[in-house]
């Protein structure tokens, strides 16, 4: 008997059919935070059902917003304006780095003090990257060794020009949210382009900002308006199914209503470089975000090397790409040191689990070298409490010989509570 909280994955023959994935996590967080700052009622349909986005809703509630669900399951947020209410207790960000980092920018601009806390994994993750620039804007922040809990004394912030040292959309968004609440203008320059949902969400709620290459500028003091939106399917959740389909030559997979934002769809380019054919259909724009249907005809005959700006754009998809790498013609990943400070050390977690399945993997300081054409066997997999590790190895397990047990698989609820059930819908055995 596998231990409680474990899931057994049996080998598959094929991936076949069509599905929709839950609402995008990155967009859900941003829309919920901006809805709180926009006086009036926002309605967010297809809001991410994951625990992370629920942490954001609970924090916005604790900051004085009324949040309910309507009979269609949409999230209704009664925004109160740029000045929120002082929370009665610490703001619990759970496992969510996005909640803690982006919300820091909002509470830094309030007239009260807040404490942001997180679970054990979040309390290990680096927060200096938001503390440094927010302090420059005038906030007082106390932390333990630059880690959560963060005690932020909000103030009237002033705009700054800031060059973000690490490529991080969370940091960029934190500073744009702080900039919205600040006096004057805030300019954020990032080393390479990261996902632009913060910029697009601010525009969707009525703010103006300018972008030139990797530089974004926002003027403080702008008033937001509420938003009615249907949140597109999460492209990082879709990635698991696309990678599953890619490793079975007879697969035929269609994913409807999925986010196709170019800063989130680098996986499609990598799969194409490996030899898969991806098609986008019925593409439309919703509040600045591209949404459509993707279909995939598999092909994995060519090796790929992922580095530089592409690594930054693919950061959440790298665990699953590495997990399928032994079945492909080989994958080399470089410049991915950031993976060490995600929900787990994802470079080590992937290496350890691939080795448990019998793969040859070379882990480098900032990536992996994984040769192709390997055969893996089922094994006991440790999720390390990290949702993307659990899901990545559910995919690797589909082409292994024998059964695989994913331990502590309940962590998939962080971004995708129905993941295993949805996987079964498209797996042919
Ligand atoms: C996210 C940005 C990325 C990503 C995370 C979501 C976002 O983190 O890994 O899952 O929504 O902005 P970093 O900003 O730390 O790279």
């Amino acid at each position: 008997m596998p231990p409680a909280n474990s899931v057994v994955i049996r080998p598959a023959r094929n991936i076949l059919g069509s599905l929709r994935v839950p609402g995008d996590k990155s967009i859900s967080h941003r829309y919920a935070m901006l809805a709180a700052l926009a006086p009036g009622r926002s309605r967010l349909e297809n809001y991410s059902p994951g625990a992370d986005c629920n942490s954001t809703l609970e924090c916005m509630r604790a900051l004085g917003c009324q949040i309910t669900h309507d009979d269609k399951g949409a999230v209704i947020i009664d925004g109160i304006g740029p000045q929120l209410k002082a929370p009665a207790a610490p703001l619990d960000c759970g496992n969510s780095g996005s909640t803690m980092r982006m919300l820091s920018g909002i509470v830094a601009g309030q007239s009260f003090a807040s404490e942001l806390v997180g679970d054990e994994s979040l309390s290990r993750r680096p927060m200096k990257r938001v503390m440094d620039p927010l302090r420059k804007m005038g906030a007082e922040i106390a932390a333990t060794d630059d880690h959560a809990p963060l005690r932020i004394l909000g103030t009237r912030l002033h705009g700054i020009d800031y060059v973000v040292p690490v490529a991080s959309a969370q940091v960029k968004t934190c500073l744009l949210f702080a900039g919205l609440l600040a006096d004057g203008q805030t300019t954020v320059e990032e080393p390479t382009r990261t996902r632009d949902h913060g910029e697009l969400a601010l525009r969707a709620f009525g703010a103006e900002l300018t972008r030139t290459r990797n530089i974004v500028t926002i003027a403080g003091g702008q008033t937001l308006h509420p938003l009615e939106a249907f949140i597109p399917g999460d492209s990082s959740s879709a990635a698991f199914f696309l990678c599953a389909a890619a490793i079975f030559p007879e697969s035929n997979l269609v994913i409807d209503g999925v986010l196709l934002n170019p800063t989130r769809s680098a996986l499609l380019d990598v799969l194409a470089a490996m030899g898969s054919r991806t098609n986008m259909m019925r593409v439309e724009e919703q509040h600045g975000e591209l949404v459509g249907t993707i279909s995939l005809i598999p092909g994995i005959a060519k090796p790929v090397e992922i580095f530089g700006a592409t690594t930054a754009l693919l950061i959440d998809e790298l665990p699953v790409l590495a997990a399928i790498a032994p079945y492909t013609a080989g994958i080399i990943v470089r410049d991915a040191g950031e993976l060490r400070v995600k929900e787990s050390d994802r470079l080590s977690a992937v290496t350890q689990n691939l080795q448990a399945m019998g793969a040859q993997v070379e882990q480098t300081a900032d990536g992996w070298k994984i040769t192709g054409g390997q055969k893996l066997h089922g094994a006991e997999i440790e999720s390390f409490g990290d949702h993307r590790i659990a899901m990545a190895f559910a995919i690797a397990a589909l082409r292994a010989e024998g059964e695989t047990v994913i331990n502590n698989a309940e962590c998939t609820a962080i971004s995708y509570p129905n993941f295993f059930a949805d996987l079964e819908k498209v797996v042919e055995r």
Side-chain angles (χ1 to χ4, degrees):
M1 270 266 290
N5 295 331
S6 295
V7 170
V8 177
I9 307 283
R10 288 179 294 123
R13 254 189 323 129
N14 224 343
I15 301 294
L16 209 63
S18 74
L19 88 161
R20 281 178 176 268
V21 290
D24 188 72
K25 181 159 94 68
S26 292
I27 297 178
S28 295
H29 285 300
R30 287 162 171 83
Y31 280 7
M33 290 183 195
L34 292 179
L37 299 178
R41 176 163 286 194
S42 287
R43 181 172 181 277
L44 308 177
E45 222 175 311
N46 205 36
Y47 187 85
S48 164
D52 268 9
C53 290
N54 194 50
S55 293
T56 290
L57 291 184
E58 288 303 331
C59 288
M60 300 334 281
R61 247 190 209 124
L63 287 162
C65 292
Q66 211 187 59
I67 303 181
T68 51
H69 286 81
D70 71 8
D71 51 6
K72 278 187 143 176
V75 175
I76 309 292
I77 302 181
D78 287 319
I80 50 184
Q83 281 304 311
L84 303 170
K85 306 230 166 74
L91 298 166
D92 188 355
C93 304
N95 189 242
S96 174
S98 299
T99 307
M100 186 168 283
R101 296 199 180 114
M102 299 195 289
L103 193 56
S104 294
I106 292 177
V107 297
Q110 304 297 318
S111 57
F112 49 78
S114 311
E115 185 176 6
L116 277 67
V117 298
D119 69 6
E120 199 205 324
S121 148
L122 183 52
S123 304
R124 278 197 307 263
R125 298 181 64 187
M127 292 298 147
K128 192 172 185 300
R129 52 187 66 191
V130 291
M131 291 163 56
D132 283 348
L134 289 175
R135 281 176 174 150
K136 284 193 182 9
M137 294 177 84
E140 269 179 48
I141 308 181
T144 316
D145 252 353
D146 297 331
H147 292 89
L150 305 183
R151 276 171 289 275
I152 303 184
L153 182 59
T155 188
R156 221 185 147 105
L157 300 172
H158 51 82
I160 53 167
D161 289 350
Y162 191 71
V163 181
V164 184
V166 279
S168 164
Q170 291 173 355
V171 175
K172 172 177 61 175
T173 305
C174 163
L175 299 182
L176 293 176
F177 287 180
L180 177 74
L181 304 175
D183 286 333
Q185 188 169 285
T186 297
T187 294
V188 185
E189 178 170 351
E190 44 185 356
T192 67
R193 189 81 185 272
T194 62
R195 64 190 72 191
D196 62 357
H197 306 303
E199 297 94 300
L200 296 177
L202 278 159
R203 281 192 182 140
F205 280 86
E208 282 179 16
L209 42 83
T210 57
R211 285 205 291 194
T212 324
R213 294 186 306 278
N214 297 344
I215 303 172
V216 191
T217 301
I218 186 164
Q222 303 185 58
T223 306
L224 303 182
H225 59 61
L227 184 73
E228 287 236 355
F230 188 97
I231 296 175
D234 192 313
S235 36
S236 303
S237 298
F240 296 104
F241 300 100
L242 292 169
C243 286
I247 56 176
F248 294 99
E250 301 296 315
S251 291
N252 200 336
L253 177 71
V254 176
I255 307 183
D256 287 318
V258 68
L259 179 70
L260 296 173
N261 177 319
T263 63
R264 289 288 297 286
S265 53
L267 178 70
L268 301 181
D269 302 329
V270 172
L271 290 172
M274 286 162 67
S276 291
R277 255 187 38 222
T278 56
N279 274 317
M280 292 182 199
M281 293 159 287
R282 295 188 282 281
V283 180
E284 39 177 284
E285 197 186 312
Q286 295 171 3
H287 304 293
E289 296 285 4
L290 292 182
V291 189
T293 296
I294 308 177
S295 69
L296 180 119
I297 310 284
I300 43 170
K302 295 182 214 145
V304 290
E305 191 163 348
I306 298 164
F307 56 93
T310 309
T311 295
L313 291 177
L314 266 175
I315 200 74
D316 289 341
E317 291 71 61
L318 290 173
V320 66
L321 262 176
I324 64 161
Y327 306 127
T328 69
I331 298 183
I332 295 176
V333 175
R334 296 192 274 118
D335 304 323
E338 272 292 300
L339 288 181
R340 295 213 184 269
V341 291
K342 294 291 180 188
E343 287 83 329
S344 68
D345 174 346
R346 289 181 173 162
L347 288 177
S348 296
V350 165
T351 306
Q352 186 174 317
N353 284 326
L354 276 177
Q355 284 169 344
M357 296 179 80
Q360 298 283 336
V361 191
E362 187 188 331
Q363 187 187 160
T364 63
D366 64 353
W368 307 274
K369 289 183 186 158
I370 307 171
T371 45
Q374 304 190 50
K375 282 203 165 78
L376 305 193
H377 55 73
E380 205 164 319
I381 294 300
E382 185 42 62
S383 72
F384 298 94
D386 183 334
H387 55 131
R388 297 206 197 278
I389 297 298
M391 293 188 277
F393 281 88
I395 303 307
L398 296 173
R399 235 189 92 167
E401 202 168 294
E403 286 182 352
T404 295
V405 178
I406 317 261
N407 287 332
N408 295 312
E410 76 287 353
C411 59
T412 51
I414 288 294
S415 60
Y416 198 160
N418 242 350
F419 170 74
F420 291 107
D422 282 357
L423 183 60
E424 286 309 311
K425 283 187 204 153
V426 291
V427 163
E428 263 205 336
R429 292 208 163 80

